[in-house]
Amino acid sequence: MMNRFRKWLYKPKDNVLNIINQIMDACIPQDRAPRDFCVKFPEEIRHDNLAGQLWFGAECLAAGSIIMNRELESMAMRPLAKELTRSLEDVRGALRDQALRDLNTYTEKMRDALRHFDVLFAEFELSYVSAMVPVKSPEYYVQQEVIVLFCETVE
């Protein structure tokens, strides 16, 4: 039941972020923030509604909430969360203005807003997920290699 509620809660946010991502792919394809760090996320974290959960998390942090018993991380991420939510509102406003004008032309103001949002969202994604779950580090890969070598030795 709770899983269905979460999907319902995050779905509209996911839709908005998916549309913004499509616009960024069309408008600033070479200027997108790198997201190579996502491969370090555990498999159970990488799912379709992660972006919506991140947006919700940013809104909660910006409003003063604390991530589940992680007060220090929450305080450290709060300025980034506030800047991200402001940037998202700027992007939405720029897209609204653009929709009332020429849909085939992207203004420099809109491109700048999209670039800024993309960088902030990538930074927040890494910070938030790293605070919530252990991400795979170089030590993680060394541990995996040791496990494989141990298993091969046992065989």
Side-chain angles (χ1 to χ4, degrees), residues 80 83-84 87 115-125:
L80 178 59
E83 191 175 355
L84 176 63
S87 176
R115 282 186 204 103
H116 185 64
F117 169 73
D118 194 34
V119 168
L120 290 174
F121 197 84
E123 286 178 30
F124 186 78
E125 182 176 14

Side-chain angles (χ1 to χ4, degrees), residues 24 52 69-71 86 100 115:
M24 286 191 292
N69 301 323
R70 291 183 166 81
E71 190 170 347
R86 255 190 314 265
L100 298 173
R115 282 186 204 103

Side-chain angles (χ1 to χ4, degrees), residues 90-149:
D90 292 345
V91 166
R92 293 174 75 188
L95 291 174
R96 228 180 343 266
D97 291 345
Q98 187 70 28
L100 298 173
R101 295 188 180 105
D102 185 7
L103 294 175
N104 298 318
T105 306
Y106 300 110
T107 64
E108 197 56 38
K109 177 185 172 188
M110 188 169 91
R111 288 175 195 217
D112 289 342
L114 289 169
R115 282 186 204 103
H116 185 64
F117 169 73
D118 194 34
V119 168
L120 290 174
F121 197 84
E123 286 178 30
F124 186 78
E125 182 176 14
L126 179 59
S127 298
Y128 191 84
V129 172
S130 297
M132 296 300 286
V133 295
V135 294
K136 299 173 188 172
S137 64
E139 294 83 23
Y140 175 84
Y141 294 111
V142 169
Q143 285 177 341
Q144 279 187 327
E145 288 177 10
V146 168
I147 291 169
V148 168
L149 288 172

Side-chain angles (χ1 to χ4, degrees), residues 22-117:
Q22 290 171 11
I23 292 169
M24 286 191 292
D25 287 341
C27 182
I28 56 166
Q30 267 55 33
D31 297 335
R32 296 295 307 267
R35 295 241 174 8
D36 299 336
F37 57 83
C38 289
V39 298
K40 295 181 178 186
F41 294 170
E43 290 296 322
E44 63 271 8
I45 294 299
R46 291 188 270 170
H47 50 75
D48 292 340
N49 63 345
L50 176 61
Q53 289 178 347
L54 291 169
W55 182 0
F56 181 73
E59 287 177 330
C60 290
L61 282 171
S65 295
I66 295 174
I67 302 171
M68 298 182 280
N69 301 323
R70 291 183 166 81
E71 190 170 347
L72 293 176
E73 292 93 336
S74 298
M75 289 171 49
M77 280 190 285
R78 187 160 290 120
L80 178 59
K82 286 180 179 181
E83 191 175 355
L84 176 63
T85 54
R86 255 190 314 265
S87 176
L88 181 56
E89 287 308 310
D90 292 345
V91 166
R92 293 174 75 188
L95 291 174
R96 228 180 343 266
D97 291 345
Q98 187 70 28
L100 298 173
R101 295 188 180 105
D102 185 7
L103 294 175
N104 298 318
T105 306
Y106 300 110
T107 64
E108 197 56 38
K109 177 185 172 188
M110 188 169 91
R111 288 175 195 217
D112 289 342
L114 289 169
R115 282 186 204 103
H116 185 64
F117 169 73

